Amino acid sequence: MQYNQQKMAQLVKREPELSTRLTQIMKEHELERAFALKALYHAEVKDSGRFMKPYQEL
């Protein structure tokens, strides 16, 4: 499974928990949104993460 920024952005819009987590990552690590989305993907989606199935359905 490959990272796709548009799919990840859609998933964040659908899942309020991911939206909150994205904001936290951006503040904690002082990242731009694009980089924070990629970090969130690796933390919560990739390698059988909690949000892998919803990501694949997009």
Side-chain angles (χ1 to χ4, degrees):
M1 183 169 57
Q2 288 189 334
Y3 171 73
N4 182 311
Q5 186 173 356
Q6 292 174 340
K7 283 175 70 172
M8 194 61 196
Q10 287 177 344
L11 183 62
V12 167
K13 286 180 183 177
R14 288 185 178 184
E15 300 288 342
E17 182 180 342
L18 286 179
S19 180
T20 304
R21 184 83 174 105
L22 177 66
T23 306
Q24 287 176 335
I25 290 173
M26 289 172 66
K27 286 181 183 178
E28 286 177 23
H29 302 286
E30 298 178 4
L31 292 174
E32 295 176 16
R33 183 177 175 86
F35 294 116
L37 274 174
K38 194 165 192 173
L40 188 62
Y41 167 79
H42 285 285
E44 301 290 342
V45 176
K46 192 173 180 181
D47 297 330
S48 300
R50 291 187 307 161
F51 295 96
M52 184 173 153
K53 188 151 183 100
Y55 181 83
Q56 288 176 332
E57 291 173 355
L58 289 176

